[in-house]
Amino acid sequence: MTRCFATLVLILVPVVGLTGCWQSGGELGQVTGTVTLDGKPLPEAMVSFYPEAGGRSAHGVTDGAGQYLLRYTGSKDGAPLGPHLVKVEVGIPMGEGDSPAVRKVPQLPAKYNTTSELTAEVKSGSNDIDFELKSK
């Protein structure tokens, strides 16, 4: 019985350790900023950072002042270090169901979302990354 227990411990300890490393996703930089459209704050916009190296993306939603805070997971703020492709989208349904409430939202050019030209570099520590978008 002791031999089985020792074998089980030898197998499980490395697996549990690897699981913790995999979930942590490496070092994160804290990312906040402001998104404006034609010089005015852009509220309720989804800001998404996609690491160029691949892996989990980070997202945030702008408030009434156009300010956002990126979240990596439900319990971790930030984004992985390194270069990112950034997308800013508006009019994204935030609730459940297939029929979101209709609301007037500004249209953003594709260069900010579907064919985004936005990039950002996330460094260790705090990052303040603003985006000044133009409707035309």
Side-chain angles (χ1 to χ4, degrees):
M1 183 72 153
T2 305
R3 185 174 176 194
C4 260
F5 179 76
T7 303
L8 184 62
V9 168
L10 287 175
I11 292 171
L12 288 180
V13 169
V15 170
V16 171
L18 286 175
T19 302
C21 291
W22 176 75
Q23 289 178 344
S24 70
E27 187 178 353
L28 302 177
Q30 301 304 300
V31 182
T32 59
T34 302
V35 180
T36 58
L37 179 63
D38 298 328
K40 297 179 183 175
L42 182 60
E44 298 181 31
M46 173 71 74
V47 180
S48 302
F49 278 51
Y50 298 93
E52 288 184 10
R56 181 188 293 266
S57 55
H59 308 272
V61 177
T62 58
D63 62 15
Q67 297 176 341
Y68 71 93
L69 165 70
L70 287 186
R71 303 248 344 150
Y72 184 65
T73 66
S75 62
K76 290 184 182 180
D77 292 342
L81 304 184
H84 291 73
L85 173 69
V86 179
K87 294 184 180 186
V88 179
E89 301 171 284
V90 293
I92 307 300
M94 299 302 229
E96 295 179 9
D98 295 328
S99 56
V102 177
R103 53 186 174 145
K104 288 190 170 193
V105 293
Q107 294 299 309
L108 295 178
K111 68 181 179 180
Y112 300 133
N113 43 66
T114 55
T115 58
S116 184
E117 299 171 1
L118 299 173
T119 60
E121 178 80 22
V122 176
K123 298 178 181 172
S124 183
S126 296
N127 296 262
D128 187 31
I129 303 173
D130 298 336
F131 298 97
E132 297 177 7
L133 312 181
K134 304 285 183 202
S135 60
K136 296 184 186 203

